[in-house]
Structures are given as structure tokens and as C-alpha cells.
Amino acid sequence: MNDSEIRARAEELRRLLHEHNYRYHVLHAPIITDSEYDALFAELKKLEEEHPELITPDSPTQRVGSDLQEDLPKVRHPAPILSLGNVFSPDEIRAWRERIGRLLPENVRLAYVVEPKFDGLTVVLTYEDGVLAQGATRGNGELGDDITPNVRTVRTIPLRIPVSGNGPAVPHRLVVRGEVIFHKKDFAELNRRMIAEGLPPFANARNTAAGAIKQKDARITAQRPLTAYCYGIVAADGPVPATQWETLAYLRDLGFLTAHDVIRRFDDLEDVIAYVQEFEARRHDLPYEIDGLVIKIDDLATYHDLGVVGKDPRGAVAYKFPAEEATTRLLDVAANVGRTGVLTPTAILEPVFVSGVTVRQASLHNYDLIAQKDIRIGDRVIVKRSGEVIPYVVGPIVAARTGDERPIAPPTTCPACGSPVGRDEGEVAYYCTNPACPERIARNIEYFVSREAMDIEGLGERGVRQLLEQGLIRDEADLFTLTADDLLRLEGFAEKKAQNLLASIRAAKERPLARLIAALGIRGVGSTVAELLARHFHSIDRLAAATEEELQTLEGLGPHTARAIVEWFANPRNRTLIEKLRAAGVRLQEEAAPQPRLSNRLAGLTFVITGTLPTLKRNEATALIEQHGGKVVGSVSKKTSYVVVGDEPGSKLTKAQELGIPLLDEAGLLAMLDDRR
Ligand code: IVH
């Protein structure tokens, strides 16, 4: 950038930051995420550092942030309510330590406390003779908004301390700092309530918590299940601990909620770095959202002596995790046809960078949720990408609407074949009603060859599409009559690769019956239900002859799935498919292998398995449970005794948690069978 470009960029950044500040603090309707704001701010700060002549008195960098509201009474804080500087990497943590080292006596040994960085709103709580006398927001750091009636509604903020009779003594006046947040489950529950009342759910927990605690009407705050964690003493007129570590224990002993399962004290900065890096992978295991960890000098005298730069104390920094949410524009919604015909809405987005990758598409889950969240085409939306899950649209930013947004209607015809769309009563999914839909068939075949199903190695999505396009296959069964000549006509196939694929196709003819049943792509029939069906019927022909009533007597199989199975086999195309598979020599039955009974340890117990277990395959775990007298069923109910949970568990885990069914991992299951117990 040349000088005039730099000048123009600084001006642009100032304008943007002013606008977003106004939207955030005055309108309470931000249209970008906090981390997007931070990025703009950091860019301006860097430009100004490199070109100090560009700093203007009205630059947002020259102002201490404020979230004061016009309509609430003000209180003056007994000491400045400071903020925190951010660091984003181990090197920046080391640079922070070096900077403060220059201000400290040589060779001083420091200890550090690491705490969660709660993503909420600061509250300043004043206790007089142990009684909660006042609650305030941070405001501009000097003055805060008086929100005393609101904080009184937060259950985790004690009204009197010490809460328990044998707690420590409290100074006449004690001012405590904490953070008001939502626990994830409480935020989800609040949104369930909103949806049940026909109201749009909240998109962002932090902003909702901030809005709730700053309400003018405390009755509204009381309806929001907020939680407060406390982590510091702002002022006291009596003896209080001399270190941060002891302060946290003291606050806990007084009856405040503290994050004692996360906080750690370290003598070595490299241990701090190892902990914060390792924690990043665990951040989602906490019951609340954090956007990083805070590193503080343990000794409070040293911490205070280090002083302040701007509004940030030198003695503490926030180590921020990469942002998982970003805002972008929803350009369009595509309906994707799945293998069972279900139409899944997919968001087509203006490309946006989120937690390390560029996201162009995101899940919109289903059409009911789109309506509940009132997401429209053209909306600015919040996109979240967290861990390995598929990116999804959290919700629209209503404040950014221009009026040109268009509502999203579920399709009435299949986008691939034009057939009418159906929907089962009580189900959220819309689906293509045409069993011969070319997209459904393609998806079905892709699934048929995949690892979860018939496991035909060497044939992926692209190969299947090519085979279909060239007319070499029309259905799953045609795979088994492919020749080397056929395969050599495909792009990227030479002799060796073709022979390998033919070998894996041959091997797939011998897959266990349960795999074949799962591979057929019947709605509601995943690997667990397929196991159940294989064990009950032992052959495709007997399964094909089963009635809905008979199927429904199988434990773990609901009426929708029973109907889907009967309908599937009633379909002429599918009957032909089975006959073609038979003619090609694919295994369609299996011997009822009598299970030797090893013990009766699990007699009377019913198990559900979800996710991938570390060593046992699904059918092995099932056989093992049965050999010890237990039963395995396909879905969780009140009657389930245990749910065995592996990697990437599905909705069965959620259901089990809702019903309070005890959970086991593989080791737990094996321990139950251990006859030395
Ligand atoms: S200490 C004087 N500790 O993060 C020390 N702050 O980005 C400054 N926050 O304004 C605060 N968790 O609202 C501290 N464990 C924690 C925190 C925490 C969240 C918030 C706090 C602060 C903001 C700075």
C-alpha cells in the first residue's frame, strides 16, 4: 500500500469501527461478531503504530470502550474495571512475559494462574457486611450501570456471604468481579422455550446474556437462566488473599461459583503454554462457551505494581482461541437430495474464513428450523464451524436487513427429478417421493459402496457418478457385473486400478447380511436396525415377506421405520434390484449362528450402542452382550439399561442424556463382563 492507500484504509477502518460501535452499544444490534470487530480494531491499531501521524483524536483506538446505557442509574466503581490485552500464539505469550520481565527485578520467579475466559458480561458485585448491596456493569470502566435488581435474580450470585456457616470472614465491604454467562444447556433450553412459544430463538449466547442482565425490568432477567462465575476482588476494606490462586479459593469458600475444574497454577511459563494449547481441543467439553483462557500473574502485589497500559493490566493477558463464528451473506439455499430422498437445505454463502478454513456452504439442518429462525435469502447470517462438525448457519442478523431479503420455502418438487415432495406426519424432513429419482439413485449407490455399507474399496463418489453418466450401471446390482473393459473406459482407470476394484467388488458379495440390509438405504434403517433385522430374519426374502405388524414387534423399531421397510420391498424397482443381486451371487442370507451362552451377567439388561467403539465392531459388541444374556436394541427408551457410547455418537446419546440413562464406554462394558469382579 502506498501512503494515500494507507491513509484511506485507516479512514475506512475508523468509519467501520464507529459504525459497529454504535450498532453494538447504542442499538444493541451488532451485525458482525466480536472477533470480526477485534480484527478491524487490531488492523487500525497496527496501521497507527506504524504511522503515528495517522492517529486522530476521534480514532476508536483512542477511546476506552463503554457499554453504558442511557436509561439506567450510574454507579462509580471503587477501582477501574480493567479489560485485557489479547494474545493469539505461544510466541505472543512469551513476548508478553519478556515485556513484563523488563519492568521487574532481574531473575524474579513468577507463578501464573490460568483461568477460563468466559464469553459473557462483567458484573461488579458489592457486599456490605456480607449482604449483596449492589450490582453494576463495567460501563466505561469508571462508571457502570446499576443493575442491582437484575443481579439479585441470578441464582449463582449469593445474596449473603459466606453462604455456609463455616465460611471465611468477610470484610465490611467487599467488591467482587465476575462474569454473567449462559450455560450451554440453559441457552438451548431457553431457545426451546422460545420456539415452543412461536418466537424466534436467540442466535448468540453472549449477546443474549448481556441483554438479559441489562434489562430495565428485572422480571425479564429472572426468566433467563443466567449463571455467574467470579474471579477477582476489585476492592476490600479488610484483609483478603495476596495471590490470585488464593483469591479464587477464598471466593469459592465464600459461596461464589468459580471455575475450579479448569483453573491451574503453574511455576513455569512453558507449562502454561502447554496447558492453554492442549485446552483448545477440550474447550467444547465445558458446560459453557469460552473464547480463550486468561493468564494472570499469581502474586497480586507484582500484578498491581506492573500497572496498566491503556485499559489493559500488564500483569494478565487473554490467550484467544481462533474464532469459530463469522458473519457473511446467505446467497441462496439449495435443496440437496439424500440417498433416502430426504431434502436437506444447504446454505450457499459468500465465502468466509472461519476457524482456519474458507466456508462456502453450510448446513441449514431442516426447513422447520429455517422458519423458526426466520432465515431469509440475502440475510447477513452467523456461520459457525466448531471442531470437526459441518459448518452451520446459527441464525440471521435481523438488524442488518435491508428489506430486500426473501423468505425460504420448502421445495414442493424435487430439484433433481421434479417429482412431488412428501412429508410424514410428525417428521421434520421433506423427501422426494420418486424411488427412481436419479439423484437418489446416485446417492444410494454412493452409500452402497461406502465404508459403512458394502465397503467397496477403490470406488468413490466420482467413480459412481462416472459409471452412471456412461450408462455402465443403473443400480447397485450392476456393479457386480462390471468388467475390466468397462472400467478402463473411465477417467483415471488403468489396468491395475481396474483389477483392484474388480477384486473388491467380488469380495463385497460375501459381506454379512446386516451390511447388505444397511446398504439398501431404507429410510430409518442404519447399521443398528440392520443388525437387528439380520438377526431376526436371517434372509432378505424373509425380511421382504415381513408385515408392518411383525416388524413393529421388534424392540427398537418404530412404526415409521416398519412402514418404510414394507414400502421399500413393495416397490417393483427394489424387487428387481434384489433379484439382480441374487443373480450376481451376492449373499442374501446367513446361517443363524447359535450364540454360545458364556454367562448370565447381563441377563435382563437392555443395551443401545451409538458411535464407533475403539476396538470392537458393532456386531462384535452385540454378540458379546448377547453371549452374556443381555439384549441390544436400536433406539433409546425409558426401558434401556445402558447406552454404550463410542466416537462420534449420534442422537441416541442426546436422548440417553435426556432420559438419564447411564452411559458406558467400551471399557465400561468390558468391565461388566469381567468375571474377576
Ligand atoms: S480478568 C483486571 N478474568 O474478558 C483483569 N477477565 O476481554 C481483567 N473475562 O473485561 C479481567 N473471563 O469481562 C478476567 N477469568 C477472567 C475472565 C475475564 C472473562 C472478561 C472480562 C474482561 C474481558 C476482557
PDB file of all heavy atoms in Angstrom, residues 130 158 160-170 253-255:
ATOM      1  N   GLY A 130     -21.426  -8.513  54.324  1.00  0.00           N
ATOM      2  CA  GLY A 130     -21.805  -9.827  53.811  1.00  0.00           C
ATOM      3  C   GLY A 130     -23.103  -9.853  53.025  1.00  0.00           C
ATOM      4  O   GLY A 130     -23.511 -10.908  52.542  1.00  0.00           O
ATOM      5  N   PRO A 158     -24.520 -15.117  45.305  1.00  0.00           N
ATOM      6  CA  PRO A 158     -25.071 -15.219  46.664  1.00  0.00           C
ATOM      7  C   PRO A 158     -25.623 -13.878  47.144  1.00  0.00           C
ATOM      8  O   PRO A 158     -25.028 -12.833  46.886  1.00  0.00           O
ATOM      9  CB  PRO A 158     -23.880 -15.668  47.517  1.00  0.00           C
ATOM     10  CG  PRO A 158     -22.681 -15.628  46.656  1.00  0.00           C
ATOM     11  CD  PRO A 158     -23.072 -15.390  45.242  1.00  0.00           C
ATOM     12  N   ARG A 160     -26.044 -13.381  50.340  1.00  0.00           N
ATOM     13  CA  ARG A 160     -25.337 -13.169  51.604  1.00  0.00           C
ATOM     14  C   ARG A 160     -24.123 -14.086  51.622  1.00  0.00           C
ATOM     15  O   ARG A 160     -24.228 -15.240  51.201  1.00  0.00           O
ATOM     16  CB  ARG A 160     -26.281 -13.508  52.763  1.00  0.00           C
ATOM     17  CG  ARG A 160     -25.650 -13.450  54.137  1.00  0.00           C
ATOM     18  CD  ARG A 160     -26.671 -13.915  55.166  1.00  0.00           C
ATOM     19  NE  ARG A 160     -27.667 -12.872  55.422  1.00  0.00           N
ATOM     20  CZ  ARG A 160     -27.474 -11.831  56.246  1.00  0.00           C
ATOM     21  NH1 ARG A 160     -26.331 -11.701  56.883  1.00  0.00           N
ATOM     22  NH2 ARG A 160     -28.418 -10.945  56.441  1.00  0.00           N
ATOM     23  N   ILE A 161     -22.978 -13.524  52.061  1.00  0.00           N
ATOM     24  CA  ILE A 161     -21.765 -14.340  52.168  1.00  0.00           C
ATOM     25  C   ILE A 161     -21.197 -14.232  53.575  1.00  0.00           C
ATOM     26  O   ILE A 161     -21.389 -13.190  54.218  1.00  0.00           O
ATOM     27  CB  ILE A 161     -20.696 -13.916  51.117  1.00  0.00           C
ATOM     28  CG1 ILE A 161     -20.486 -12.389  51.158  1.00  0.00           C
ATOM     29  CG2 ILE A 161     -21.060 -14.410  49.736  1.00  0.00           C
ATOM     30  CD1 ILE A 161     -19.337 -11.910  50.291  1.00  0.00           C
ATOM     31  N   PRO A 162     -20.468 -15.228  54.084  1.00  0.00           N
ATOM     32  CA  PRO A 162     -20.309 -16.535  53.464  1.00  0.00           C
ATOM     33  C   PRO A 162     -21.622 -17.307  53.448  1.00  0.00           C
ATOM     34  O   PRO A 162     -22.435 -17.167  54.358  1.00  0.00           O
ATOM     35  CB  PRO A 162     -19.282 -17.229  54.354  1.00  0.00           C
ATOM     36  CG  PRO A 162     -19.386 -16.564  55.678  1.00  0.00           C
ATOM     37  CD  PRO A 162     -19.781 -15.143  55.390  1.00  0.00           C
ATOM     38  N   VAL A 163     -21.778 -18.094  52.406  1.00  0.00           N
ATOM     39  CA  VAL A 163     -23.020 -18.833  52.246  1.00  0.00           C
ATOM     40  C   VAL A 163     -23.137 -19.888  53.335  1.00  0.00           C
ATOM     41  O   VAL A 163     -24.199 -20.086  53.905  1.00  0.00           O
ATOM     42  CB  VAL A 163     -23.069 -19.470  50.838  1.00  0.00           C
ATOM     43  CG1 VAL A 163     -24.191 -20.472  50.736  1.00  0.00           C
ATOM     44  CG2 VAL A 163     -23.230 -18.384  49.790  1.00  0.00           C
ATOM     45  N   SER A 164     -22.024 -20.545  53.632  1.00  0.00           N
ATOM     46  CA  SER A 164     -22.115 -21.592  54.642  1.00  0.00           C
ATOM     47  C   SER A 164     -21.560 -21.078  55.960  1.00  0.00           C
ATOM     48  O   SER A 164     -20.684 -20.199  55.998  1.00  0.00           O
ATOM     49  CB  SER A 164     -21.361 -22.840  54.180  1.00  0.00           C
ATOM     50  OG  SER A 164     -20.108 -22.911  54.807  1.00  0.00           O
ATOM     51  N   GLY A 165     -22.067 -21.613  57.058  1.00  0.00           N
ATOM     52  CA  GLY A 165     -21.756 -21.152  58.409  1.00  0.00           C
ATOM     53  C   GLY A 165     -20.264 -21.136  58.716  1.00  0.00           C
ATOM     54  O   GLY A 165     -19.781 -20.253  59.415  1.00  0.00           O
ATOM     55  N   ASN A 166     -19.528 -22.108  58.151  1.00  0.00           N
ATOM     56  CA  ASN A 166     -18.102 -22.155  58.485  1.00  0.00           C
ATOM     57  C   ASN A 166     -17.223 -21.526  57.406  1.00  0.00           C
ATOM     58  O   ASN A 166     -16.039 -21.808  57.329  1.00  0.00           O
ATOM     59  CB  ASN A 166     -17.679 -23.592  58.781  1.00  0.00           C
ATOM     60  CG  ASN A 166     -18.112 -24.541  57.674  1.00  0.00           C
ATOM     61  OD1 ASN A 166     -18.545 -24.070  56.611  1.00  0.00           O
ATOM     62  ND2 ASN A 166     -18.018 -25.829  57.904  1.00  0.00           N
ATOM     63  N   GLY A 167     -17.796 -20.654  56.581  1.00  0.00           N
ATOM     64  CA  GLY A 167     -17.019 -19.962  55.555  1.00  0.00           C
ATOM     65  C   GLY A 167     -16.088 -18.934  56.185  1.00  0.00           C
ATOM     66  O   GLY A 167     -16.198 -18.624  57.381  1.00  0.00           O
ATOM     67  N   PRO A 168     -15.151 -18.390  55.389  1.00  0.00           N
ATOM     68  CA  PRO A 168     -14.199 -17.407  55.922  1.00  0.00           C
ATOM     69  C   PRO A 168     -14.874 -16.087  56.302  1.00  0.00           C
ATOM     70  O   PRO A 168     -16.004 -15.823  55.900  1.00  0.00           O
ATOM     71  CB  PRO A 168     -13.220 -17.203  54.760  1.00  0.00           C
ATOM     72  CG  PRO A 168     -13.909 -17.701  53.549  1.00  0.00           C
ATOM     73  CD  PRO A 168     -14.939 -18.685  53.968  1.00  0.00           C
ATOM     74  N   ALA A 169     -14.145 -15.273  57.064  1.00  0.00           N
ATOM     75  CA  ALA A 169     -14.661 -13.966  57.461  1.00  0.00           C
ATOM     76  C   ALA A 169     -14.693 -13.040  56.249  1.00  0.00           C
ATOM     77  O   ALA A 169     -13.890 -13.175  55.331  1.00  0.00           O
ATOM     78  CB  ALA A 169     -13.766 -13.370  58.542  1.00  0.00           C
ATOM     79  N   VAL A 170     -15.640 -12.090  56.251  1.00  0.00           N
ATOM     80  CA  VAL A 170     -15.789 -11.172  55.124  1.00  0.00           C
ATOM     81  C   VAL A 170     -15.497  -9.761  55.603  1.00  0.00           C
ATOM     82  O   VAL A 170     -16.010  -9.346  56.651  1.00  0.00           O
ATOM     83  CB  VAL A 170     -17.238 -11.202  54.587  1.00  0.00           C
ATOM     84  CG1 VAL A 170     -17.316 -10.503  53.247  1.00  0.00           C
ATOM     85  CG2 VAL A 170     -17.750 -12.605  54.488  1.00  0.00           C
ATOM     86  N   ASP A 253     -14.868 -20.438  48.713  1.00  0.00           N
ATOM     87  CA  ASP A 253     -15.260 -20.746  50.089  1.00  0.00           C
ATOM     88  C   ASP A 253     -16.352 -19.805  50.597  1.00  0.00           C
ATOM     89  O   ASP A 253     -17.133 -20.160  51.470  1.00  0.00           O
ATOM     90  CB  ASP A 253     -14.036 -20.702  51.013  1.00  0.00           C
ATOM     91  CG  ASP A 253     -13.042 -21.800  50.662  1.00  0.00           C
ATOM     92  OD1 ASP A 253     -13.447 -22.747  49.944  1.00  0.00           O
ATOM     93  OD2 ASP A 253     -11.869 -21.710  51.086  1.00  0.00           O
ATOM     94  N   LEU A 254     -16.389 -18.595  50.041  1.00  0.00           N
ATOM     95  CA  LEU A 254     -17.460 -17.670  50.439  1.00  0.00           C
ATOM     96  C   LEU A 254     -18.802 -18.076  49.840  1.00  0.00           C
ATOM     97  O   LEU A 254     -19.848 -17.636  50.309  1.00  0.00           O
ATOM     98  CB  LEU A 254     -17.126 -16.238  49.986  1.00  0.00           C
ATOM     99  CG  LEU A 254     -16.045 -15.505  50.784  1.00  0.00           C
ATOM    100  CD1 LEU A 254     -15.749 -14.154  50.150  1.00  0.00           C
ATOM    101  CD2 LEU A 254     -16.487 -15.320  52.238  1.00  0.00           C
ATOM    102  N   GLY A 255     -18.776 -18.890  48.785  1.00  0.00           N
ATOM    103  CA  GLY A 255     -20.037 -19.337  48.192  1.00  0.00           C
ATOM    104  C   GLY A 255     -20.238 -18.870  46.763  1.00  0.00           C
ATOM    105  O   GLY A 255     -21.308 -19.072  46.190  1.00  0.00           O
TER     106      GLY A 255
END
